[in-house]
């Protein structure tokens, strides 16, 4: 197993960034980065099919994350791996939740069936980082599918490893933590590479200044946050889809793929739970389903999250060329991206 991990892990690779720290789109003609040797700690993690075991493991990860002191200790971040294999029951739960086509009309959906295990691995890495989950937000997700057949992510036994690649200061008390996740099959062939960029805010300055400095990355993050709507629903060549999102669907996704807890709003008491918020990765899978239905090639998918999507509303998805935008019921930009 150790030998297999050395073939599947790539801790020194730029993965799907551009190697300079800027979150640039990957080149379509670029060769997959060659894996490099790595040492990782293997964890025996339950997948969502384990029911109670999985829920207990999630709470064991989430509760300390909400209570721990907020600090930054990047040098202590570990590199973790786990093995999983999506079951027929899990694939059925994804298909039911997102209304995926099956059988003769099946489409190659870019579904991350191992998202539940990925969520647990990321929680372990973020625990090493020392940050409090209340001060953490997913800013950008990027996935590069390397398997020629999408069913490999649905059926193959998979080795998943996760680590922090960089921690960069983007403000006086803010840093950006880049987490790299690689999914490989038993032979060591890479099936997917994932990069998740988390904003860690409200850090004591003494901790924030310990992060790397990168002006290019800092400016790239600033541009993402200032991004405004660019797609006009009435323009020619624009596709539109209305998507009803419910709290029940958010809970069903959390049961099969993890996700954040519902947290009190600032100024509210701990027992006053705010309206259910949809996990960013739920929105990612919802949008990816629609793009696949429209026939867009989505082996490279990136999505930036700007706002909180509350359940119980109808979202608007707009697509033009390779770009898309997701708006809330009031027309505010929640997320944008491209394939």
């Amino acid at each position: 197993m150790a030998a297999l991990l050395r073939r599947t892990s790539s801790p020194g690779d730029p993965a799907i960034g551009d190697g300079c720290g800027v979150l640039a789109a990957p080149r379509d003609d670029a060769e997959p980065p060659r894996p490099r040797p790595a040492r990782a700690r293997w964890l025996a993690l339950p997948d969502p099919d384990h029911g109670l075991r999985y829920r207990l493991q999630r709470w064991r990860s989430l509760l300390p994350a909400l209570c721990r002191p907020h600090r930054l200790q990047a040098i202590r971040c570990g590199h973790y791996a786990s093995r999983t294999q999506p079951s027929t029951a899990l694939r059925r739960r994804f298909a039911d939740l997102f209304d995926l086509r099956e059988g003769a009309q099946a489409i190659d959906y870019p579904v991350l069936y191992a998202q539940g295990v990925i969520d647990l691995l990321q929680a372990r890495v973020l625990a090493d980082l020392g940050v409090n989950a209340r001060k953490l937000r997913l800013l950008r997700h990027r996935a590069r599918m390397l398997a020629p057949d999408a069913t490999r992510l649905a059926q193959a036994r998979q080795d998943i490893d996760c680590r922090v690649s960089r921690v960069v200061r983007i403000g006086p008390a803010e840093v950006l933590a880049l987490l790299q996740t690689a999914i490989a099959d038993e032979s060591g062939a890479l099936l997917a590479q994932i990069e998740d960029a988390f904003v860690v805010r409200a850090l004591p300055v003494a901790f924030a200044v310990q992060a790397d400095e990168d002006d290019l990355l800092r400016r790239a993050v600033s541009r993402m946050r200032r991004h405004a709507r660019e797609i006009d629903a009435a323009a020619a060549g624009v596709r539109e889809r209305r998507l009803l999102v419910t709290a029940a669907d958010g809970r069903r996704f959390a049961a099969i793929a993890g996700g954040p807890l519902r947290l009190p709003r600032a100024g509210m008491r701990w027992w006053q739970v705010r309206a259910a918020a949809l996990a960013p990765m739920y929105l990612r899978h919802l949008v990816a389903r629609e793009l696949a239905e429209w026939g867009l090639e989505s082996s490279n998918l990136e999505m930036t999250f700007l706002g909180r999507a509350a359940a119980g509303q109808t979202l608007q998805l707009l697509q033009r060329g390779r770009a898309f935008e997701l708006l809330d019921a009031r027309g505010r930009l929640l997320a944008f991206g491209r394939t």
Side-chain angles (χ1 to χ4, degrees), residues 134 262-275:
R134 296 175 185 270
R262 293 184 297 169
L263 303 179
R265 284 195 183 101
M268 295 178 65
R269 301 299 182 181
W270 64 268
W271 62 83
Q272 296 175 303
V273 180
R274 70 183 183 182

Side-chain angles (χ1 to χ4, degrees), residues 8-323:
T8 60
S9 304
S10 50
D13 291 326
I16 44 184
D18 64 357
C20 300
V22 180
L23 300 177
R27 292 174 46 197
D28 293 337
D29 59 347
E31 291 295 328
R34 189 180 300 276
R36 298 179 182 176
R39 296 180 61 185
R41 179 179 175 185
W42 283 86
L43 304 177
L45 297 176
D47 58 41
D49 281 336
H50 287 89
L52 181 59
R53 279 186 58 204
Y54 180 74
R55 291 193 293 272
L56 289 175
Q57 185 66 45
R58 280 196 65 219
W59 282 102
R60 288 178 60 189
S61 302
L62 289 171
L63 288 180
L66 298 174
C67 302
R68 71 170 62 101
H70 192 43
R71 58 187 185 276
L72 188 70
Q73 45 192 27
I75 61 174
R76 293 184 56 186
C77 281
H79 182 184
Y80 298 98
S82 186
R83 175 167 290 180
T84 187
Q85 182 170 2
S87 67
T88 301
L90 182 62
R91 297 198 302 271
R92 168 58 61 183
R93 292 168 75 181
F94 268 98
D96 290 343
L97 176 57
F98 294 106
D99 193 22
L100 306 181
R101 298 187 193 181
E102 296 184 298
Q105 296 184 333
I107 294 176
D108 284 343
Y109 298 100
V111 176
L112 297 174
Y113 292 95
Q115 184 62 49
V117 176
I118 293 172
D119 184 72
L120 294 179
L121 286 172
Q122 289 185 338
R124 187 61 180 266
V125 171
L126 291 171
D128 285 355
L129 193 60
V131 298
N132 187 293
R134 296 175 185 270
K135 309 295 198 257
L136 190 71
R137 183 175 66 85
L138 178 62
L139 175 65
R140 169 171 280 193
H141 165 85
R142 180 181 288 128
R144 185 180 184 188
M145 306 298 178
L146 303 174
D149 183 359
T151 59
R152 297 290 294 159
L153 287 173
Q155 300 174 0
R157 182 176 294 179
Q158 300 166 20
D159 290 336
I160 305 172
D161 69 87
C162 182
R163 63 185 177 84
V164 170
S165 62
R166 296 189 71 193
V167 180
V168 179
R169 191 182 185 196
I170 58 173
E174 281 188 322
V175 302
L176 190 76
L178 298 175
L179 271 63
Q180 303 284 355
T181 304
I183 304 177
D185 64 15
E186 288 183 287
S187 69
L190 282 171
L191 301 178
Q193 289 182 308
I194 301 165
E195 179 185 76
D196 291 305
F198 290 90
V199 172
V200 182
R201 59 183 178 83
L203 275 169
V205 175
F207 287 108
V209 296
Q210 297 176 19
D212 295 338
E213 297 286 346
D214 189 327
D215 287 341
L216 291 177
L217 180 56
R218 179 178 52 79
R219 288 195 291 267
V221 170
S222 178
R223 287 193 298 270
M224 290 181 212
R225 289 171 155 177
R226 297 196 311 269
H227 188 91
R229 291 182 54 181
E230 296 179 348
I231 302 178
D232 183 359
V238 173
R239 288 173 171 157
E240 178 185 7
R241 186 67 55 87
R242 299 282 178 168
L243 306 171
L244 175 64
V245 293
T246 67
D249 288 339
R251 288 191 295 268
R252 291 169 63 193
F253 182 78
I256 61 176
L261 289 173
R262 293 184 297 169
L263 303 179
R265 284 195 183 101
M268 295 178 65
R269 301 299 182 181
W270 64 268
W271 62 83
Q272 296 175 303
V273 180
R274 70 183 183 182
L278 298 165
M281 291 305 293
Y282 169 77
L283 298 178
R284 180 264 185 207
H285 281 80
L286 193 65
V287 169
R289 188 272 311 273
E290 296 300 328
L291 298 179
E293 293 280 351
W294 281 332
L296 272 70
E297 198 281 325
S298 52
S299 59
N300 292 321
L301 176 66
E302 63 180 58
M303 190 168 178
T304 301
F305 304 94
L306 298 180
R308 171 181 170 269
Q313 61 178 319
T314 298
L315 307 181
Q316 182 183 24
L317 176 63
L318 303 175
Q319 176 261 322
R320 180 184 63 198
R322 296 179 58 187

